[in-house]
C-alpha cells in the first residue's frame, strides 16, 4: 500500500496526520491524486496570471478545490478526469509547470502551517463560491482570489507575508459569504422561523444531504405529484425556512442527526439518499445501492447524477429507487440526540435584525445578559458532548445563536424564551456565519461599541475546511477571544498557535463549567 499524508480535518490520525489511510475512509491513491490535482490547480493559476480567463476555467478552479474538501470525493477516476481537464485548460493558457505535490506538506513547520491555512481556506471558500455560481452569482474579486491564492500557495513567502495573505483571504471570504447569502435569498427568499418535524411519514421518500439548495429545488420540482416525500439531512435542514422551498408540501421534515451518524441512521433505509456536497461517508453494503451523488461528490460504485450544459439534472434514477423501495409502512419516529422530535430553524439575519429593537431593549433592561454563538462542524471525536453540556448549562437570561451541523448536539432541546424570542436561534448553514456577523455588527452599532465589547462569546467546533475559512474571516474582522474545540488543528504549528493566542486570544475549550465561569464571571 502506498503512503499518503493528510491532516486537513479534525479527526486526522493521532491528531497529527493520516499516513496509511484516511480516518474518513479516503484511500492513499485518492489522497495522492488530490495532491496532484492541487499541484495542477497551482499550475493553472500560474498560467492564468495577467490573462483573462473564461467561465469554464473559473469553474474548474472552484470545482477542483471543492473536490479536495473532506468527505466530498472518494472516486479516483473522477479526480483523474478533473486533473486532465485542469491541465488541458492550463495548456490553452501557456506552458507552465504544476506545483510538485510532494512539496505541499514539506518545509519549515511554521511556513507549512501558514501555507496550509491558506490552501485549506481556499478549499472551503471554493465550496461557497460554487454554490453561488450555480445560482448565477459570481464576483470577480472572489474568483480572482482563487488564482491569486493558489499562486501564493505555490510560491515561497515569509511569515509576515503569509500572515498578510491570510488576513486578505479572510476579508475576501466575507465577500464570498455575502455573495452566497445574496444568491440564496434572492432566489429562495429570506428564511423565516420554521418548525421542522423529525418524524418520517410512511411511504416512498428521498433524503437529501449536503448544502446545495439548487439541487434540492430541482428534486422538489421533479418529485411533485409523484407521492414521494422529501427529507433534509445534516446541513440541508435550514432549507425548510426558505419560502420558495417550503412552499412544496412534500418537503416534509428532517431525517436523522449530524452527518457522522449516517452509517447507523441509513443502515437498511427503505428510501433513496442524495448527497449534494461534502458529508458523505463510505456507505455500508446495507444501503449503498440506494445512495446517489451529484455535483463534485463521488464514490466508486455509486450512481452519479450529472448536470447538462445548462446546469439541469435528471433525478429519475433517484426517484425510481425511492418508488421501488417504497418507504416504511408506518410512520417512523426519529429523534435528536436529546430525544426531541421538533427542530426550529430560520433565524437568519433578516429575521433577527427585524426584531433588533426588541433584542436591544432586552439587553438594556437586563432580560438578556449574554449572547453565545455555539456552532460549527460536528464530528465523531470524543469530547464533542462539551457543546451539548455547555448549552444546557447556559443561564436562562442568555441567548444561543447557532449554525452549521454542530447544532445537532443540542438543537432538539427546548430552552424556552426571553420576551417571546426563543433562547436558541438556528441561523442556518455554516456559510450563514455571514448572518451572525451581520447581527453582531448591527448590535455593536446600536450600542456604539466595538464587536469585542459586546456581551457576545463565540464557542466554535471545527471539523473541515469551511470552518477554516470562516475562522480566518472572523480573525480578519478582528474578533477576539474565540473558544475553539474539540481539539486544535494538526496543521497549526505551536508557533502559529501562539501568534493566534497573542493577537486574537484564541482559547482551546476546557470544560463547560470552567469556560462559562471564565466568560460570565
Amino acid at each position: 500500500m502506498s503512503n499518503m499524508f493528510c491532516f486537513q480535518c479534525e479527526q486526522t490520525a493521532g491528531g497529527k496526520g493520516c499516513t496509511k489511510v484516511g480516518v474518513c475512509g479516503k484511500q492513499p491513491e485518492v489522497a495522492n491524486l488530490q495532491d496532484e490535482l492541487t499541484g495542477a490547480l497551482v499550475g493553472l493559476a500560474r498560467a492564468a496570471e495577467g490573462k483573462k480567463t473564461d467561465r469554464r476555467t473559473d469553474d474548474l478552479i472552484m470545482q477542483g478545490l471543492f473536490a479536495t474538501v473532506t468527505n466530498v470525493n472518494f472516486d479516483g477516476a473522477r479526480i483523474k478526469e478533473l486533473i486532465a481537464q485542469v491541465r488541458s485548460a492550463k495548456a490553452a493558457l501557456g506552458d507552465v509547470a504544476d506545483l510538485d505535490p510532494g512539496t505541499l506538506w514539506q518545509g519549515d513547520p511554521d511556513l507549512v502551517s501558514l501555507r496550509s491555512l491558506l490552501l485549506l481556506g481556499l478549499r472551503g471558500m471554493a465550496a461557497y463560491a460554487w454554490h453561488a455560481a450555480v445560482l448565477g452569482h459570481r464576483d470577480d474579486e472572489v474568483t480572482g482570489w482563487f488564482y491569486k491564492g493558489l499562486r501564493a500557495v505555490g510560491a515561497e513567502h515569509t511569515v509576515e507575508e503569509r500572515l498578510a495573505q491570510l488576513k486578505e483571504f479572510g476579508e475576501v471570504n466575507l465577500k464570498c459569504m455575502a455573495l452566497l447569502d445574496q444568491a440564496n435569498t434572492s432566489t429562495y427568499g429570506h428564511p423565516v422561523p420554521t418548525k421542522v418535524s423529525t418524524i418520517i411519514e410512511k411511504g416512498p421518500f428521498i433524503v437529501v444531504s449536503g448544502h446545495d439548495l439548487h439541487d434540492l429545488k430541482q428534486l422538489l420540482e421533479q418529485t411533485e405529484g409523484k407521492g414521494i416525500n422529501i427529507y433534509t439531512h445534516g446541513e440541508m435542514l435550514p432549507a425548510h425556512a426558505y419560502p420558495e422551498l417550503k412552499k412544496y408540501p412534500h418537503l416534509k421534515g428532517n431525517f436523522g442527526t449530524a452527518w457522522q451518524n449516517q452509517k447507523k441512521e441509513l443502515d437498511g433505509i427503505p428510501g433513496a439518499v442524495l448527497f449534494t456536497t461534502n458529508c458523505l461517508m463510505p456507505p455500508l453494503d446495507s444501503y449503498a445501492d440506494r445512495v446517489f451523488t451529484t455535483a463534485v461528490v463521488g464514490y466508486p460504485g455509486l450512481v452519479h447524477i450529472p448536470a447538462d450544459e445548462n446546469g439541469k439534472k435528471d433525478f429519475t434514477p433517484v426517484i425510481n429507487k425511492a418508488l421501488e423501495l417504497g418507504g416504511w409502512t408506518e410512520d417512523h419516529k426519529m429523534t435528536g440526540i436529546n430525544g426531541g422530535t421538533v427542530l426550529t430553524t430560520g433565524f437568519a439575519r433578516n429575521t433577527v435584525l427585524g426584531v433588533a429593537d426588541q433584542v436591544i431593549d432586552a439587553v438594556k433592561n437586563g432580560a438578556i445578559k449574554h449572547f453565545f454563538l455555539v456552532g460549527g462542524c460536528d464530528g465523531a471525536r470524543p469530547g464533542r458532548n462539551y457543546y451539548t453540556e455547555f448549552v444546557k448549562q447556559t443561564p436562562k437570561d442568555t441567548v444561543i445563536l447557532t449554525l452549521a451541523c454542530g447544532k445537532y448536539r443540542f438543537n432538539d432541546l427546548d430552552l424556552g424564551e426571553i420576551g417571546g424570542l426563543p433562547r436558541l436561534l438556528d441561523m442556518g448553514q455554516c456559510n450563514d456565519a455571514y448572518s451572525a456577523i451581520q447581527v453582531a455588527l448591527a448590535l455593536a452599532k446600536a450600542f456604539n461599541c466595538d464587536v469585542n465589547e459586546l456581551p457576545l462569546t463565540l464557542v466554535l467546533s471545527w471539523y473541515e475546511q469551511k470552518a477554516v475559512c470562516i475562522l480566518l474571516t472572523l480573525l480578519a474582522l478582528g474578533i477576539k477571544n474565540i473558544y475553539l474545540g474539540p481539539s486544535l488543528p494538526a496543521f497549526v504549528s505551536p508557533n502559529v498557535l501562539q501568534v493566534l493566542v497573542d493577537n486574537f486570544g484564541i482559547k482551546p475549550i476546557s470544560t463547560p463549567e470552567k469556560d462559562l465561569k471564565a466568560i460570565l464571571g
Side-chain angles (χ1 to χ4, degrees):
M1 179 183 289
S2 61
N3 289 330
M4 59 177 279
F5 182 77
C6 183
F7 63 176
Q8 69 178 9
C9 82
E10 187 266 341
Q11 68 182 4
T12 196
K16 296 180 179 179
C18 295
T19 57
K20 300 297 183 185
V21 66
V23 174
C24 66
K26 182 166 61 176
Q27 296 301 308
E29 179 200 12
V30 172
N32 293 325
L33 283 170
Q34 289 183 349
D35 286 351
E36 185 179 344
L37 174 58
T38 301
L41 289 167
V42 171
L44 176 56
R46 288 168 171 171
E49 187 168 13
K51 299 169 186 172
K52 184 171 178 57
T53 56
D54 59 19
R55 181 161 293 186
R56 177 179 173 275
T57 305
D58 296 343
D59 287 354
L60 267 177
I61 286 277
M62 286 186 275
Q63 289 176 312
L65 283 165
F66 193 175
T68 61
V69 171
T70 303
N71 292 87
V72 172
N73 201 322
F74 298 83
D75 191 338
R78 292 268 308 284
I79 297 171
K80 286 178 181 177
E81 286 178 23
L82 269 172
I83 293 170
Q85 291 171 14
V86 169
R87 286 179 174 153
S88 175
K90 182 187 70 169
L93 291 168
D95 184 17
V96 179
D98 292 348
L99 173 70
D100 177 0
T103 65
L104 271 173
W105 320 113
Q106 296 177 354
D108 176 89
D110 298 329
L111 290 172
V112 170
S113 179
L114 293 168
R115 182 173 66 220
S116 299
L117 274 167
L118 178 59
L119 174 59
L120 303 184
L122 285 166
R123 289 176 174 178
M125 187 169 80
Y128 296 149
W130 181 248
H131 294 317
V134 297
L135 293 175
H137 289 251
R138 298 167 185 264
D139 180 274
D140 289 343
E141 183 179 3
V142 172
T143 302
W145 226 94
F146 288 119
Y147 293 93
K148 179 178 181 177
L150 282 165
R151 286 194 292 270
V153 167
E156 296 298 323
H157 290 281
T158 64
V159 168
E160 291 73 20
E161 289 169 340
R162 288 291 188 205
L163 290 171
Q165 289 165 0
L166 291 172
K167 183 176 188 301
E168 185 179 342
F169 168 79
E171 294 165 350
V172 172
N173 185 59
L174 179 63
K175 292 188 176 183
C176 185
M177 289 195 293
L179 178 72
L180 180 51
D181 179 271
Q182 172 64 20
N184 285 337
T185 56
S186 64
T187 305
Y188 308 114
H190 283 280
V192 295
T194 303
K195 291 188 181 300
V196 183
S197 172
T198 64
I199 305 297
I200 311 304
E201 296 181 15
K202 64 181 179 180
F205 68 95
I206 298 170
V207 175
V208 185
S209 190
H211 305 72
D212 199 293
L213 301 181
H214 184 54
D215 286 333
L216 175 61
K217 177 68 157 54
Q218 292 188 71
L219 182 65
L220 287 167
E221 291 171 344
Q222 292 176 37
T223 49
E224 206 165 12
K226 288 186 167 63
I228 299 173
N229 290 328
I230 306 298
Y231 295 88
T232 55
H233 173 260
E235 282 268 55
M236 202 64 93
L237 168 64
H240 290 274
Y242 286 93
E244 288 302 308
L245 297 174
K246 67 182 298 175
K247 71 181 183 183
Y248 291 91
H250 59 301
L251 179 59
K252 288 289 187 176
N254 191 72
F255 180 97
T257 53
W259 68 271
Q260 77 275 2
N261 301 321
Q262 65 189 260
K263 288 190 174 183
K264 177 181 178 182
E265 294 174 347
L266 295 177
D267 189 17
I269 179 179
V273 187
L274 175 67
F275 280 89
T276 66
T277 59
N278 57 313
C279 302
L280 174 68
M281 297 174 74
L284 301 176
D285 291 342
S286 67
Y287 64 86
D289 66 326
R290 56 210 66 183
V291 177
F292 299 80
T293 63
T294 193
V296 296
V297 189
Y299 193 86
L302 300 186
V303 175
H304 186 76
I305 308 297
D308 65 18
E309 62 274 10
N310 298 313
K312 301 294 183 184
K313 298 180 181 180
D314 181 359
F315 289 112
T316 299
V318 190
I319 293 167
N320 288 343
K321 178 58 74 171
L323 291 171
E324 172 195 329
L325 291 166
W328 279 292
T329 56
E330 301 292 337
D331 289 356
H332 183 74
K333 183 178 180 181
M334 302 188 81
T335 66
I337 67 166
N338 302 290
T341 58
V342 177
L343 312 175
T344 303
T345 189
F347 289 93
R349 62 181 174 85
N350 200 55
T351 294
V352 177
L353 293 178
V355 293
D357 291 344
Q358 179 183 338
V359 173
I360 291 165
D361 287 345
V363 175
K364 287 180 176 177
N365 66 30
I368 296 177
K369 292 288 201 315
H370 205 87
F371 296 90
F372 295 98
L373 174 59
V374 186
C377 314
D378 204 0
R381 186 184 290 272
R384 285 183 179 267
N385 61 321
Y386 165 95
Y387 298 94
T388 311
E389 294 307 314
F390 185 96
V391 168
K392 283 181 177 179
Q393 293 179 37
T394 54
K396 294 187 183 302
D397 56 4
T398 61
V399 171
I400 295 90
L401 310 173
T402 191
L403 45 79
C405 60
K407 62 175 166 268
Y408 280 99
R409 292 280 166 174
F410 48 79
N411 68 341
D412 62 324
L413 292 171
D414 182 0
L415 299 180
E417 298 181 343
I418 299 179
L421 190 71
R423 285 190 57 223
L424 179 61
L425 303 176
D426 177 8
M427 308 193 84
Q429 296 180 338
C430 53
N431 48 280
D432 291 312
Y434 177 75
S435 275
I437 289 167
Q438 295 310 303
V439 168
L441 293 175
L443 287 174
K445 184 178 180 181
F447 288 106
N448 193 29
C449 68
D450 182 83
V451 170
N452 292 307
E453 296 173 322
L454 287 171
L456 168 68
T457 304
L458 279 63
V459 184
L460 304 181
S461 54
W462 81 280
Y463 178 78
E464 43 89 359
Q465 295 77 68
K466 285 180 278 187
V468 175
C469 68
I470 291 171
L471 178 64
L472 291 173
T473 291
L474 294 173
L475 299 182
L477 288 168
I479 294 175
K480 297 184 177 181
N481 302 317
I482 297 171
Y483 284 75
L484 185 64
S487 61
L488 293 172
F491 49 80
V492 174
S493 69
N495 288 334
V496 170
L497 175 61
Q498 195 59 50
V499 169
L500 297 178
V501 170
D502 292 344
N503 289 286
F504 301 102
I506 292 278
K507 305 175 191 296
I509 60 170
S510 59
T511 67
E513 295 80 8
K514 287 181 182 177
D515 292 345
L516 278 167
K517 185 176 180 180
I519 294 165
L520 298 175

